[in-house]
Amino acid sequence: MTIDHYLSASTAGIGTAALPAAGAPEPGALLAPLSGVTDLALRRIARRLGATAVVSEMVAAEDFARGTAEARLRAEGEGVLPHVVQLAGCDPRWMAEGARLAQANGADVIDVNMGCPAKKVTGGEAGSALMRDLDHAARLLAAVRGAVSVPVTVKMRLGWDDSSRNAPDLARRAQALGLSAVTVHGRTRQQFYTGRADWAAIRAVAEAVTIPVIANGDVGSLEEARACLAASGARAVMIGRAAVGRPWLVGAVAAGLRGAAAPRLTACEKADLAAEHYEGLLALYGAGMGVRHARKHLAAYADHAGGLSAPERMRLVTTTDPAEALALLRRAFAQAPAEAAPAAKQAA
């Protein structure tokens, strides 16, 4: 399997014998790795609905290699093809071991996290902190690349801060080491998620390498995806926060970028997908942990649907009764106000 394969794939379940013909693939839209968010249930739904590919939550490589239960759940990919696992860490030995284990457990692609801005990650010299020492970053990428036979990719930011926008240099090193693609979030680490993503700044990365570049940051609609591709010169977009509460969004954008019409979901169909996600979380984590894990998703579904009163929304995100949560979730969509914008203007 190559990176071009999943950048151009439009249906799930395609094996390595079905690689696309030579030539540039159609642009795609991928679901970004979001820690605590892109769980297996969400990824299954987004991929089934047409996302070009989906990426696991960030998985701590050392925890995964040591067999930590939470890390194993984050890396689970049953029913998702291609199965992309994102690993984070700063020790080449543990990153290599985590990558080997992920491939043995069915990963089709290993993505290396060099973009997370969270203090608990950068404080351990992982995530975007690696962009402060490109020699060490390159050693880490080489260790992962040498440990597995599947494609390896890397997700980064523009740099640590505005005085060190070194993403093009890191991308060149990644390509030289044999990585298959790079994803660039259009902010520095010091920006966290403030301001607007600088899509135009990603163009310097796209022009520095010949491997595919995927642009990430502030893409929440088909129109924004097209603008991002035009500004960045990237081959695909990666959608993160905008897809929370809207697992159908990434597939709709992917279809639009191909010039195809995405199915327009009814409120009832969206409610069914939200319920599927909730029940999937309970199945994956167990009732106790699953209920807690689901709260951010329930809030996002309710906010996008718009059909609950403030007390009902509060009850939805605090109840520990799955039956009550499902009833309120369906009510959120059943009572949702009619959408005023025409279908052609929306990706949702």
Side-chain angles (χ1 to χ4, degrees), residues 61-339:
E62 182 174 351
D63 290 348
F64 184 55
R66 292 183 182 278
T68 302
E70 182 179 353
R72 293 293 181 93
L73 286 175
R74 285 172 175 254
E76 178 59 54
E78 184 179 357
V80 177
L81 291 173
H83 176 31
V84 187
V85 174
Q86 187 188 74
L87 295 177
C90 64
D91 186 321
R93 179 174 69 93
W94 284 117
M95 288 292 288
E97 185 58 32
R100 278 191 288 268
L101 181 60
Q103 180 179 347
N105 286 354
D108 299 303
V109 180
I110 304 297
D111 185 61
V112 178
N113 185 308
M114 293 191 176
C116 180
K119 291 181 180 179
K120 67 179 181 181
V121 176
T122 60
E125 299 303 318
S128 56
L130 290 162
M131 299 193 75
R132 294 186 295 188
D133 184 349
L134 295 194
D135 289 339
H136 182 63
R139 287 191 291 271
L140 190 148
L141 292 176
V144 175
R145 176 63 282 171
V148 296
S149 59
V150 297
V152 177
T153 63
V154 59
K155 188 172 188 290
M156 63 184 73
R157 288 198 161 216
L158 295 175
W160 177 258
D161 56 26
D162 280 332
S163 67
S164 58
R165 290 194 170 204
N166 54 4
D169 190 4
L170 180 54
R172 280 190 289 265
R173 292 180 185 227
Q175 176 172 283
L177 289 167
L179 270 69
S180 298
V182 298
T183 299
V184 184
H185 183 111
R187 291 181 175 88
T188 66
R189 185 272 175 182
Q190 296 296 64
Q191 288 180 273
F192 285 86
Y193 295 99
T194 61
R196 289 290 299 175
D198 188 350
W199 298 331
I202 298 173
R203 183 170 287 276
V205 182
E207 292 174 347
V209 295
T210 57
I211 57 176
V213 172
I214 303 164
N216 175 227
D218 294 341
V219 175
S221 68
L222 176 57
E223 289 74 15
E224 289 174 337
R226 287 172 173 157
C228 177
L229 292 177
S232 67
R235 291 265 292 276
V237 296
M238 182 173 277
I239 300 173
R241 290 173 291 167
V244 182
R246 298 187 293 173
W248 47 83
L249 173 65
V250 185
V253 171
L257 291 176
R258 298 193 309 271
R264 187 155 177 82
L265 300 175
T266 66
C268 183
E269 289 169 329
K270 290 179 179 179
D272 287 342
L273 291 168
E276 177 187 340
H277 186 190
Y278 181 71
E279 291 172 332
L281 286 169
L282 299 185
L284 181 66
Y285 292 105
M289 184 184 296
V291 164
R292 294 191 298 274
H293 191 90
R295 285 172 178 159
K296 64 177 74 68
H297 294 290
L298 294 176
Y301 283 122
D303 291 343
H304 283 301
L308 294 182
S309 65
E312 288 173 326
R313 182 189 182 281
M314 178 60 71
R315 185 60 187 164
L316 172 65
V317 299
T318 56
T319 183
T320 58
D321 180 359
E324 183 180 26
L326 285 168
L328 287 166
L329 192 57
R330 291 190 178 280
R331 187 183 303 170
F333 286 94
Q335 299 179 164
E339 297 181 55

Side-chain angles (χ1 to χ4, degrees), residues 34-40 42 57 244 277 281 293 296-297:
L34 296 175
S35 185
V37 175
T38 50
D39 51 74
L40 178 60
L42 177 63
E57 300 177 60
V244 182
H277 186 190
L281 286 169
H293 191 90
K296 64 177 74 68
H297 294 290

